[in-house]
């Protein structure tokens, strides 16, 4: 008897890489995919049945609190159109595994009322021990934090109500979810590609017109967006002392000069430019390499040649890059925050330092460079 499973994710395969690959190996399973047209079809796994959904049309200027929910509803409608195309082709999935963050899963229950829906949850905002009120430098009044967290959580609550089962990658993320819904949420750890992310003593990284290997002193920092949630301001402030204590070290910063989770600066300036302007007269700019977005193989090569990888985050979601660096056995200096402690044990597979103590971060990185073990 044939069965079908539908995966819904803006950019395939995303968090569902392992599940999609497993489903594709079953000859009795139809693998259905819905993804965002903006990302194209280059990453669509072969052998699957695929439909795109479009981007919602802007509806004029809205308060950001309204705009986020408005976009989620519009995105849900676009996904619904793509799901209808699959239904008209005769497909009714037995299971749907969906991301919810931009509203993708909200209207799927109406389209497939008898289908089991499994929803991937990332983060639930709250007033205590969370990302929004963690950094005093960017802290807003409690009333504003409450407004923003409720607006952001509204989509998650709708998805939690609708799904048959929720999945989260870590214990920390499960602890953030509302207690009344935890009974239907289980932990399914993200799996990284360990065939790719592994030590390679012969790795070569080619950037800025030169080659780096494990013979060089390389300090790496990586974030999808270079913003305060990922501690870019703290890292930049650590560089004057770090470069002074490690005069041979080159610093490689990977990421886009944009925002993913933080509000943009009022003047449109990138956060990294703001904090670089604070320290540019105190560091050797020739040893600072801003490489933007790296291809997958180049990022792995960076971790493989890196003498120390610095990973900083507020109490938010731990990035894949942390786990990939760990898999490459890169020496790690990381922020002593809850999501990181689930992966890094101080003194065993890395060093944990207070998120705000940029002098201590510089000292620890310098010591790690000189150990070279």
């Amino acid at each position: 008897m044939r069965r079908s499973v539908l995966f819904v994710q803006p950019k395939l395969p995303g968090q569902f890489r392992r599940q999609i690959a497993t489903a594709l190996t079953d000859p009795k399973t139809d693998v259905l995919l819905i993804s965002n047209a903006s990302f194209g079809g280059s990453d669509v796994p072969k052998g699957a049945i695929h439909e795109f959904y479009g981007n919602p049309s802007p509806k004029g200027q809205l308060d950001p609190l309204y705009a986020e929910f408005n976009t989620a509803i519009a995105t849900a409608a676009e996904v619904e159109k793509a799901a209808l195309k699959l239904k008209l082709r005769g497909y009714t999935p037995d299971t749907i595994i969906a991301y919810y963050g931009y509203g993708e899963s909200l209207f799927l229950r109406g389209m497939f009322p008898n289908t089991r829906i499994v929803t991937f949850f990332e983060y639930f905002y709250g007033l205590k021990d969370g990302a929004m009120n963690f950094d005093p430098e960017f802290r807003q009044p409690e009333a504003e934090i409450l407004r923003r967290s409720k607006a952001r959580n509204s989509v998650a609550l709708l998805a939690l109500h609708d799904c048959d089962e929720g999945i989260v990658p870590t214990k920390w993320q499960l602890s953030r979810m509302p207690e009344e819904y935890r009974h239907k949420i289980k932990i399914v750890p993200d799996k990284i590609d360990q065939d790719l992310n592994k030590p390679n003593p012969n790795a070569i990284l080619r950037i800025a017109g030169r080659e780096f290997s494990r013979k060089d002193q390389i300090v790496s920092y990586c974030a999808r967006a270079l913003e305060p949630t990922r501690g870019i301001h703290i890292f930049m402030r650590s560089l004057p002392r770090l470069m002074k204590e490690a005069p041979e070290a080159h610093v490689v910063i990977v990421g886009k000069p944009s925002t993913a989770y933080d509000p943009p600066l009022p003047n449109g300036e990138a956060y990294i430019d703001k904090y670089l302007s604070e320290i540019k007269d105190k560091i050797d700019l020739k040893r600072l390499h801003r490489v933007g977005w790296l291809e997958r193989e180049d990022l792995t090569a960076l971790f493989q040649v890196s003498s120390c990888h610095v990973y900083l985050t507020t109490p938010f979601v731990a990035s894949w890059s942390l786990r990939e660096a760990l898999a490459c056995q890169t020496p790690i200096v990381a922020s002593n925050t809850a999501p990181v402690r689930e992966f890094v044990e101080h003194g065993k597979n890395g060093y944990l330092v207070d998120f705000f103590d940029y002098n201590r971060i510089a000292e620890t990185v310098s010591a790690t460079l000189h150990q070279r073990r």
Side-chain angles (χ1 to χ4, degrees), residues 275-320:
Y275 298 112
L276 180 58
S277 68
E278 293 180 3
I279 63 164
K280 64 181 180 181
D281 296 330
K282 304 174 185 177
I283 64 171
D284 181 357
L285 291 170
K286 294 179 181 178
R287 292 190 284 132
L288 178 65
H289 309 282
R290 294 170 54 181
V291 297
W293 197 252
L294 288 182
E295 294 297 326
R296 175 67 269 173
E297 293 77 11
D298 293 328
L299 183 61
T300 300
L302 172 61
F303 294 146
Q304 290 168 337
V305 304
S306 181
S307 311
C308 182
H309 180 65
V310 180
Y311 181 74
L312 306 175
T313 186
T314 60
F316 194 52
V317 178
S319 307
W320 288 351

Side-chain angles (χ1 to χ4, degrees), residues 64-361:
L65 291 177
Y66 307 144
E68 192 159 333
F69 189 77
N70 192 61
T71 299
I73 296 299
T75 299
E78 292 293 329
V79 171
E80 185 181 39
K81 292 176 189 176
L84 179 59
K85 292 178 183 178
L86 290 174
K87 192 170 185 178
L88 292 174
R89 292 167 66 179
Y91 294 105
T92 296
D94 299 285
T95 303
I96 295 172
I97 302 177
Y99 183 64
Y100 82 97
Y102 302 101
E104 291 84 350
S105 68
L106 296 187
F107 294 165
L108 291 172
R109 175 65 72 199
M111 182 65 62
F112 303 112
N114 299 316
T115 294
R116 179 172 177 77
I117 297 178
V118 180
T119 304
F120 177 94
F121 292 97
E122 201 161 43
Y123 190 78
F124 199 85
Y125 292 87
L127 285 176
K128 294 182 179 180
D129 305 321
M132 280 190 181
N133 61 348
F134 178 72
D135 192 333
E137 190 170 342
F138 303 98
R139 186 172 293 156
Q140 295 183 329
E142 188 169 295
E144 178 62 18
I145 294 173
L146 181 63
R147 291 174 70 239
R148 289 176 59 201
S149 62
K150 281 188 172 292
R152 290 190 174 185
N153 289 339
S154 59
V155 176
L157 288 169
L158 287 171
L160 277 166
H161 178 76
D162 249 4
C163 72
D164 296 289
E165 183 179 304
I167 55 176
V168 294
T170 68
K171 295 176 183 177
W172 158 250
Q173 285 162 280
L174 178 60
S175 75
R176 303 297 303 171
M177 303 306 291
E179 203 166 330
E180 60 267 34
Y181 286 105
R182 288 182 203 166
H183 69 280
K184 64 184 209 177
I185 303 172
K186 68 179 182 180
I187 297 172
V188 179
D190 281 340
K191 298 293 184 181
I192 62 169
D193 186 346
Q194 290 186 298
D195 293 327
L196 176 66
N197 297 285
K198 60 185 178 182
N200 179 6
N202 301 314
I204 298 293
L205 174 68
R206 296 177 177 87
I207 57 169
R210 61 174 295 175
E211 291 186 349
F212 293 102
S213 70
R214 286 179 60 85
K215 295 178 182 179
D216 300 294
Q217 281 192 350
I218 305 296
V219 177
S220 56
Y221 171 95
C222 176
R224 177 161 63 109
L226 304 174
E227 58 189 339
T229 289
R230 299 308 190 192
I232 187 60
H233 55 314
I234 304 297
F235 180 68
M236 297 302 287
R237 290 166 184 166
S238 76
L239 294 185
R241 183 164 186 170
L242 170 59
M243 285 191 166
K244 182 179 180 180
E245 294 188 5
E248 301 298 318
H250 286 258
V251 177
V252 180
I253 298 177
V254 179
K256 297 180 180 179
S258 57
T259 59
Y261 307 111
D262 290 290
L265 290 168
N267 60 0
E269 184 182 19
Y271 282 102
I272 187 171
D273 292 327
K274 171 180 170 63
Y275 298 112
L276 180 58
S277 68
E278 293 180 3
I279 63 164
K280 64 181 180 181
D281 296 330
K282 304 174 185 177
I283 64 171
D284 181 357
L285 291 170
K286 294 179 181 178
R287 292 190 284 132
L288 178 65
H289 309 282
R290 294 170 54 181
V291 297
W293 197 252
L294 288 182
E295 294 297 326
R296 175 67 269 173
E297 293 77 11
D298 293 328
L299 183 61
T300 300
L302 172 61
F303 294 146
Q304 290 168 337
V305 304
S306 181
S307 311
C308 182
H309 180 65
V310 180
Y311 181 74
L312 306 175
T313 186
T314 60
F316 194 52
V317 178
S319 307
W320 288 351
S321 60
L322 171 63
R323 282 161 274 186
E324 291 164 350
L326 285 167
C328 292
Q329 295 183 13
T330 311
I332 300 286
V333 172
S335 57
N336 188 9
T337 45
V340 177
R341 289 194 293 268
E342 202 159 332
F343 298 97
V344 179
E345 184 178 343
H346 182 69
K348 183 176 180 181
N349 64 342
Y351 298 102
L352 296 175
V353 184
D354 182 90
F355 176 91
F356 301 104
D357 194 345
Y358 52 84
N359 281 315
R360 183 63 178 158
I361 290 169

Side-chain angles (χ1 to χ4, degrees), residues 5-40:
V5 56
L6 168 62
F7 294 89
V8 183
Q9 162 71 17
K11 188 177 189 300
L12 290 168
Q15 294 93 338
F16 307 138
R17 182 183 300 274
R18 180 169 58 93
Q19 292 96 327
I20 292 173
T22 299
L24 284 169
T25 63
D26 185 350
K28 294 184 178 180
T29 298
D30 293 319
V31 179
L32 315 175
L33 306 173
I34 292 177
S35 70
N36 192 315
S38 294
F39 296 110

